[in-house]
Amino acid sequence: MAKFQLEAARPETHNEEEIAVVVRQDSSAINVALDNLEEIQLLAEAAGAQVAGAVVSRRARPHSGLFIGKGKVDELRALVSSTAATIVVVDHAITPVQERNLENILQCRVIDRTRLILDIFARRASSREGKLQVELAQLKHLSTRLVRGWTHLERQKGGIGLRGPGETQLETDRRLIGRRIKTLTKRLEKIRTQRELRRKSRKKVPIATIALVGYTNAGKSSLFNRVCGASVPSMDMLFSTLDTTMRRLELPGFGPVILSDTVGFIRELPHGLISAFHATLEEVSNASVLLHVVDASCKDADNRIENVESVLDQIGAGEVPRILVYNKVDLTDSQTGRRTRVNGEIDRVWLSSLTGEGVDALMEILVGHFRTKRVFGQIRIPATAGKLRSSVYRRMEVLNESFGETGESILDLDISASDADWLESSHEFKDEYWQVRPEFQADCM
């Protein structure tokens, strides 16, 4: 029984490409509905299916038993029959009852948007952490749908010590899945702890971190490869990147930073995935700045920006500074390198990661961003506080050092705001040691 349940959580594999029909119910504007329909078709193709047709329904609210109306079900059944479709993909989250009723009528498998995205993630995950995260999300989704397809739930366990009320097949399945979920949660918590230790180690050697975020297929991996000279797989396909990749990047005129490429977001991203990928997404919430990559050629770009912002709020990254990066301008009439400002700070830039045009402008913007976030000042360290002086040299950029009449070290510093906070929290530090000097800052800018 345990073997069956673990296999049920893995992605279904088929030797031949499946023929799919997609279903979408929408009450929004025609253009938005068409964009959403195109997206679910691309998702189905990313899962390895060949889309043979689509049915669009317009209802104020879903049908309680069938999700779409009876007339649309008849239209869908005719389309499934004429195309010999083996699977129907519904671009919404549907209930187990609706799923079962549709399967009985259509005589083929029916999956919803959540299960489709989980299948894509299961196919693409390559790291150990990614596989664990996907399996956890799959099991949580499966645990709500155990009623599907069972015809022997009345069967009881027998044997010595197990007679009597017994345990139904459904209860056994739930217990086994619950046990596996606990095991995966513990493993992911261990990975999360390890990530936190690595993050603390990076903080000991102060270095800024930049995270690429954005809607799936916006070109994050292409931009990552362009600026870092990396070879992260980048394809014109939804969810081509699932595992976070980090590289060291030298910003001209500033120094080294860490750039991370993260999983793309999408409309109605399953909550189970957000929860399962929380350890990975913590890299986003702890970043110094976010580069929100947007597909400039997409007609629905504004709605996609809102969807990404919503997910960022959910993972606690809503307050992290960000710059909108409009990518793929080679497919539009936009001018590469163009930038806009809000309250004196650049908030968006246009570029092409394919041709490289506008990337230099982005690097200049990042340098400017980090320079304005730095603190210029002077610290006087007594000769008796040699340990503090050593720590300052190890963690910070010392521009100049001189010595006072009593032998104290006078250090001119160029440091980040977080380093200034660390300095002030040091047990050897005293307030009279530190002085922020505006005239010194003006000289260094």
Side-chain angles (χ1 to χ4, degrees):
M1 187 56 58
K3 179 180 178 182
F4 170 81
Q5 289 303 329
L6 296 184
E7 288 180 348
R10 298 192 181 108
E12 299 179 22
T13 57
H14 305 275
N15 294 328
E16 298 181 358
E17 186 177 49
E18 293 195 74
I19 300 176
V21 170
V22 298
V23 177
R24 170 146 190 94
Q25 183 168 274
D26 213 320
S27 58
S28 57
I30 297 295
N31 291 338
V32 175
L34 291 176
D35 288 338
N36 292 338
L37 182 61
E38 180 183 6
E39 181 179 270
I40 189 61
Q41 291 174 337
L42 292 174
L43 281 171
E45 292 172 359
Q50 176 186 348
V51 179
V55 171
V56 178
S57 172
R58 301 192 181 280
R59 291 175 59 93
R61 61 175 58 90
H63 188 281
S64 59
L66 299 171
F67 184 73
I68 56 177
K70 295 181 180 179
K72 285 295 180 180
V73 171
D74 292 337
E75 179 183 338
L76 179 59
R77 179 168 53 184
L79 182 59
V80 169
S81 176
S82 63
T83 59
T86 56
I87 186 171
V88 170
V89 179
V90 182
D91 188 24
H92 305 269
I94 61 176
T95 67
V97 172
Q98 292 169 338
E99 182 178 312
R100 185 173 64 250
N101 290 342
L102 286 174
E103 286 190 344
N104 290 338
I105 296 174
L106 302 175
Q107 292 299 300
C108 70
R109 288 184 303 119
V110 175
I111 65 174
D112 64 1
R113 179 185 179 86
T114 299
R115 190 173 169 192
L116 177 64
I117 294 176
L118 288 173
D119 184 81
I120 296 172
F121 272 54
R123 290 169 180 264
R124 302 279 172 77
S126 58
S127 68
R128 174 175 173 271
E129 179 184 7
K131 291 177 181 178
L132 289 175
Q133 290 172 142
V134 170
E135 185 181 355
L136 176 61
Q138 284 182 312
L139 286 172
K140 287 183 176 180
H141 182 67
L142 178 65
S143 64
T144 65
R145 296 171 180 263
L146 287 178
V147 296
R148 177 182 177 274
W150 289 99
T151 58
H152 56 288
L153 300 184
E154 73 283 355
R155 191 173 69 208
Q156 305 283 324
K157 277 189 174 182
I160 299 174
L162 294 176
R163 295 187 178 91
E167 184 179 49
T168 66
Q169 182 70 48
L170 180 58
E171 291 167 343
T172 301
D173 297 335
R174 283 176 174 164
R175 177 171 53 82
L176 293 172
I177 291 178
R179 184 185 301 169
R180 180 62 177 168
I181 287 176
K182 288 181 180 179
T183 299
L184 293 174
T185 302
K186 288 181 179 179
R187 292 182 182 178
L188 287 172
E189 186 60 35
K190 183 178 180 180
I191 293 175
R192 184 177 181 179
T193 302
Q194 292 170 346
R195 278 185 177 273
E196 183 62 29
L197 290 174
R198 290 196 295 269
R199 196 175 294 120
K200 289 181 178 179
S201 298
R202 291 200 300 268
K203 288 182 178 179
K204 291 181 180 179
V205 180
I207 184 169
T209 57
I210 305 169
L212 294 171
V213 300
Y215 210 81
T216 180
N217 204 34
K220 296 182 295 300
S221 295
S222 297
L223 180 59
F224 183 85
N225 291 337
R226 169 67 63 176
V227 300
C228 291
S231 56
V232 173
S234 58
M235 297 173 285
D236 186 16
M237 183 180 292
L238 303 185
F239 295 120
S240 62
T241 300
L242 291 185
D243 300 311
T244 298
T245 305
M246 307 180 77
R247 291 288 188 276
R248 182 185 178 98
L249 171 65
E250 287 287 337
L251 286 181
F254 176 76
V257 296
I258 296 295
L259 181 65
S260 62
D261 184 21
T262 62
V263 61
F265 302 146
I266 198 169
R267 173 180 55 86
E268 300 175 21
L269 186 67
H271 290 287
L273 276 178
I274 297 176
S275 175
F277 277 73
H278 195 271
T280 301
L281 295 175
E282 280 183 345
E283 296 292 347
V284 174
S285 58
N286 284 278
S288 305
V289 63
L290 304 180
L291 295 183
H292 182 168
V293 183
V294 181
D295 183 354
S297 65
C298 177
K299 299 178 182 178
D300 197 29
D302 290 340
N303 285 328
R304 293 189 173 188
I305 291 174
E306 291 180 5
N307 287 320
V308 173
E309 293 294 336
S310 175
V311 177
L312 291 176
D313 288 336
Q314 292 181 53
I315 64 176
E319 300 300 322
V320 180
R322 69 203 65 184
I323 300 171
L324 281 173
V325 179
Y326 284 85
N327 190 20
K328 303 185 182 181
V329 295
D330 52 290
L331 302 178
T332 70
D333 296 330
S334 299
Q335 181 180 359
T336 55
R338 184 164 66 94
R339 61 197 79 178
T340 62
R341 294 177 180 269
V342 174
N343 298 326
E345 292 190 7
I346 296 175
D347 75 319
R348 56 188 69 192
V349 61
W350 282 257
L351 56 80
S352 170
S353 58
L354 179 64
T355 65
E357 295 181 78
V359 173
D360 289 341
L362 175 62
M363 297 297 102
E364 294 174 3
I365 291 169
L366 287 172
V367 170
H369 172 83
F370 287 121
R371 296 294 293 181
T372 57
K373 300 300 179 182
R374 298 187 75 80
V375 176
F376 297 87
Q378 189 178 82
I379 183 173
R380 293 174 175 265
I381 304 177
T384 55
K387 185 176 180 180
L388 177 61
R389 177 181 178 276
S390 176
S391 297
V392 169
Y393 263 96
R394 185 174 64 253
R395 291 182 58 107
M396 306 176 184
E397 182 179 354
V398 179
L399 300 176
N400 183 54
E401 180 178 16
S402 59
F403 297 93
E405 296 179 356
T406 59
E408 73 272 21
S409 298
I410 305 174
L411 306 178
D412 293 331
L413 304 178
D414 172 8
I415 61 178
S416 67
S418 61
D419 291 334
D421 293 338
W422 169 86
L423 182 62
E424 294 178 356
S425 65
S426 174
H427 68 278
E428 290 187 326
F429 179 81
K430 295 181 180 180
D431 290 340
E432 58 265 26
Y433 292 175
W434 176 252
Q435 179 184 11
V436 176
R437 299 171 54 191
E439 72 280 4
F440 173 62
Q441 180 171 347
D443 293 340
C444 295
M445 289 295 287

